[in-house]
Amino acid sequence: MRDLKPWLELIFRRPGRLVIGGVLILATLLSGVGLLAVSGWFITETALVGLLLAAGVVATINLYVPGGAIRFFAVSRTVFRYLERVYNHDTVLRLLTDIRVALFKGLSSASRSHRKELTGAQWLSRLTSDVDALDTLYLRLIAPAALAALVTVLVVVLTAVLFDLRTAMLVGLVLLAAFLFATVGTYLRTRQLAAKQSDRQEALRTAVIEHIEGFAELTAAGRTGKHAAWLMRQAHKVTSEQAEADSRAGWHLAGSHLLINLSAILALWAGFALFRAGLISGPVLVLLPIALLGLAEIYAMLPDAFAKLGATMASAARLNRDCRGDQPTAASGAPDLPANAALVATDLMVKHAGHVPLFTHFDLTLKAGDRVGIVGHSGSGKSSLADVFAGLLPPANGRLATQDRVYLTQKTVLFEDTLRANLLLGSPKASETELWRILEVVELAERFASEPDQLDTWLGSSGSRLSGGEARRVALARVLLSSAPVVILDEPFTGLDSGTRARIAGRMDALLEGKTVISLAHGPDALPGTDRVIHLTG
């Protein structure tokens, strides 16, 4: 359960909503049990009165109170079920928001090297099926199990009130066995199988995505049929394990229902003795067993939920491991900086896991307002060094302290959204005037002024409606909007001709006044204005 702890803490941050949702579920369950119990009592009372009248005995029955109770429970069950579904599904969506926010925060703090260990298909699995396994944890497992236990206690108390303490204890023991058999027993019987199946489903999902992505290569190699057959065999294993898990859950469902029926028989048997002694009436004798049978509907949802608990725990373990990952160990942040310093790197070792170091004993000290250029050929380690400065790649050794920084990566990243939304990521409070001014700096103002939607122009998937140079300039504009005192620019002018590059570099000088700028490129001619240039060799 340790893997579920951080997610459970996240879920229980909304105690008010959970309590209200639980009360609505409880009201629905009690209305259902009440409807069955009162109906049983009313039918029995009516039958007995009918028999007495047939025998010539004067008898009466109050039709209005039980009839009204039946109508009340029927209507309340419907109303509470509707309110519960609407309210709790809204709660689940809020919990899903909390989970995703926490997930992406953890993901953003993990190192880039750690994130690269997983394929795109595996990340898709983390962000869809694994998150889905957690977002219904409250509605599918926590609330039903807790409320089933509460309703069971209430029924045992009702037994003690209507019958006697001995019968209540006997019924309570049988119901406790039914509850444990439906919950703990199901979990113990299915946890390893469910966890194994969860891993196998992820592997199959990944293999199917890779099959689709590599279909052209498989076709060229003549391996399409064989690979598809292999996928079918893996799918058959998954369905076989699913059938086995469902079978085990089904047996536990049947066992719990058997025990519930046994408790009803015991209550009926004990009730007959009380009835013969004149301690209870016939309708009351029937009321309790029928109320006990109503528990079957409540217990019916437990085995399936606990059969999936093993898979949920496996999903939580994967998210904890892969989406939080190893945290950067080097110090970063302004408190460790000397006066007037913007960045201090001491004895840095830069390397990726499983590879030889790119740099060792790297030292660099930049004062506020310094502008340094770093040049080197492809593979010399420029981008890896920039990742370390930006905090995306933890140094293998040494110490790094910086002021807040903003980073233009070598890869242009735009989101499938409007121009305005992409720019506001750099400065969420930027005014429309500031957005147009920054577009003028990167020579895109005229380009978008001619668009019908102007700043609200849709850029398409990854900026597909733009040319490579235009996309690069939008990404550069976003970085220039940031107020961070340290600016890291990796190949800022990719895709731009020399004339455009020179004009933009000149306009950038005023915007970068007073900021510390680290720019990286293949050669000095691809850098904005710098005070000095560091050449990387090797």
Side-chain angles (χ1 to χ4, degrees):
M1 292 292 181
R2 189 185 304 112
D3 291 320
L4 287 178
K5 183 179 179 181
W7 307 104
L8 291 175
E9 291 175 350
L10 193 63
I11 289 173
F12 286 113
R13 288 180 186 174
R14 296 179 179 269
R17 292 196 67 88
L18 300 185
V19 170
I20 294 174
V23 168
L24 290 173
I25 296 175
L26 179 62
T28 303
L29 298 178
L30 291 179
S31 295
V33 173
L35 179 61
L36 280 174
V38 174
S39 297
W41 180 90
F42 187 45
I43 292 170
T44 305
E45 180 72 9
T46 305
L48 290 176
V49 170
L51 290 173
L52 290 173
L53 292 174
V57 178
V58 177
T60 61
I61 182 172
N62 185 344
L63 298 175
Y64 298 103
V65 174
I70 290 172
R71 288 181 175 84
F72 170 77
F73 284 129
V75 172
S76 66
R77 184 171 184 253
T78 303
V79 171
F80 282 129
R81 184 181 294 276
Y82 174 77
L83 293 176
E84 178 267 319
R85 293 294 172 88
V86 172
Y87 189 86
N88 280 331
H89 279 78
D90 179 66
T91 299
V92 167
L93 291 175
R94 293 171 187 264
L95 294 177
L96 178 60
T97 300
D98 294 341
I99 289 171
R100 285 181 171 168
V101 169
L103 181 63
F104 279 99
K105 282 184 177 179
L107 179 58
S108 65
S109 65
S111 67
R112 176 181 287 190
S113 60
H114 182 83
R115 295 197 296 267
K116 285 183 176 179
E117 292 176 4
L118 297 184
T119 65
Q122 288 173 315
W123 279 121
L124 178 63
S125 180
R126 297 292 179 276
L127 301 176
T128 54
S129 60
D130 286 340
V131 169
D132 290 341
L134 294 174
D135 69 352
T136 57
L137 192 59
Y138 162 73
L139 193 58
R140 190 183 66 215
L141 191 140
I142 297 174
L147 294 174
L150 178 58
V151 173
T152 301
V153 171
L154 293 177
V155 171
V156 172
V157 172
L158 179 66
T159 305
V161 172
L162 296 180
F163 284 23
D164 56 20
L165 186 59
R166 176 176 170 273
T167 305
M169 292 179 63
L170 186 61
V171 169
L173 287 174
V174 176
L175 291 180
L176 176 61
F179 181 80
L180 294 177
F181 193 72
T183 55
V184 178
T186 305
Y187 168 66
L188 294 177
R189 283 265 292 156
T190 59
R191 62 176 177 178
Q192 293 183 349
L193 182 62
K196 180 181 177 183
Q197 184 190 14
S198 178
D199 293 337
R200 196 183 292 276
Q201 284 179 332
E202 185 200 15
L204 177 61
R205 190 181 300 109
T206 301
V208 169
I209 293 174
E210 291 176 349
H211 176 86
I212 295 172
E213 290 177 342
F215 189 78
E217 289 79 3
L218 289 170
T219 302
R223 303 282 299 179
T224 306
K226 291 184 178 180
H227 197 264
W230 177 81
L231 287 177
M232 291 299 296
R233 290 195 297 272
Q234 301 307 308
H236 178 70
K237 291 180 181 179
V238 170
T239 55
S240 298
E241 290 176 352
Q242 180 65 58
E244 175 65 19
D246 290 344
S247 176
R248 294 183 185 183
W251 279 110
H252 280 264
L253 176 62
S256 63
H257 281 189
L258 178 63
L259 289 170
I260 290 172
N261 291 335
L262 177 60
S263 71
I265 294 173
L266 290 173
L268 195 59
W269 172 74
F272 270 122
L274 296 172
F275 175 72
R276 284 195 298 267
L279 298 175
I280 60 173
S281 64
V284 172
L285 167 63
V286 175
L287 183 149
L288 181 61
I290 293 181
L292 288 168
L293 292 176
L295 289 175
E297 180 183 358
I298 301 173
Y299 279 46
M301 62 185 79
L302 299 180
D304 181 64
F306 278 83
K308 292 181 171 64
L309 181 55
T312 301
M313 293 177 65
S315 294
R318 285 193 293 266
L319 290 174
N320 292 339
R321 180 187 67 238
D322 297 330
C323 298
R324 297 191 177 184
D326 50 335
Q327 304 300 317
T329 55
S332 64
D336 295 330
L337 288 170
N340 201 38
L343 180 146
V344 177
T346 306
D347 197 31
L348 289 186
M349 177 187 290
V350 179
K351 71 183 295 292
H352 296 276
H355 297 274
V356 298
L358 293 166
F359 301 100
T360 57
H361 308 297
F362 185 92
D363 297 311
L364 180 65
T365 299
L366 297 179
K367 296 180 179 179
D370 283 354
R371 298 189 186 185
V372 62
I374 300 177
V375 299
H377 58 78
S378 296
S380 61
K382 300 186 304 299
S383 295
S384 297
L385 186 60
D387 286 347
V388 172
F389 290 155
L392 298 181
L393 176 66
N397 188 43
R399 187 172 182 81
L400 172 69
T402 75
Q403 294 178 334
D404 291 339
R405 61 273 201 205
V406 61
Y407 181 27
L408 176 66
T409 61
Q410 188 177 54
K411 180 180 179 181
T412 301
V413 178
L414 296 180
F415 292 94
E416 188 173 359
D417 209 328
T418 63
L419 173 65
R420 184 194 304 273
N422 273 275
L423 291 176
L424 289 178
L425 290 172
S427 179
K429 296 182 179 180
S431 65
E432 189 159 321
T433 301
E434 291 173 319
L435 296 182
W436 281 115
R437 185 179 298 123
I438 205 70
L439 289 176
E440 290 177 356
V441 171
V442 296
E443 295 193 355
L444 286 177
E446 291 185 10
R447 161 72 171 83
F448 287 103
S450 62
E451 290 281 349
D453 296 326
Q454 297 191 346
L455 289 175
D456 294 314
T457 300
W458 194 261
L459 300 187
S461 177
S462 301
S464 58
R465 294 190 58 196
L466 306 178
S467 68
E470 289 173 339
R472 190 61 176 172
R473 281 181 280 170
V474 170
L476 176 60
R478 182 171 62 201
V479 169
L480 294 176
L481 277 169
S482 173
S483 60
V486 177
V487 180
I488 304 170
L489 306 173
D490 191 0
E491 300 285 355
F493 303 128
T494 300
L496 304 184
D497 59 73
S498 57
T500 304
R501 184 169 59 210
R503 291 193 300 272
I504 293 176
R507 295 191 184 99
M508 285 170 53
D509 281 339
L511 283 175
L512 298 175
E513 185 68 31
K515 293 187 176 183
T516 303
V517 182
I518 304 172
S519 51
L520 305 96
H522 287 91
D525 57 333
L527 295 173
T530 58
D531 300 325
R532 56 192 173 104
V533 176
I534 299 174
H535 293 266
L536 301 179
T537 59

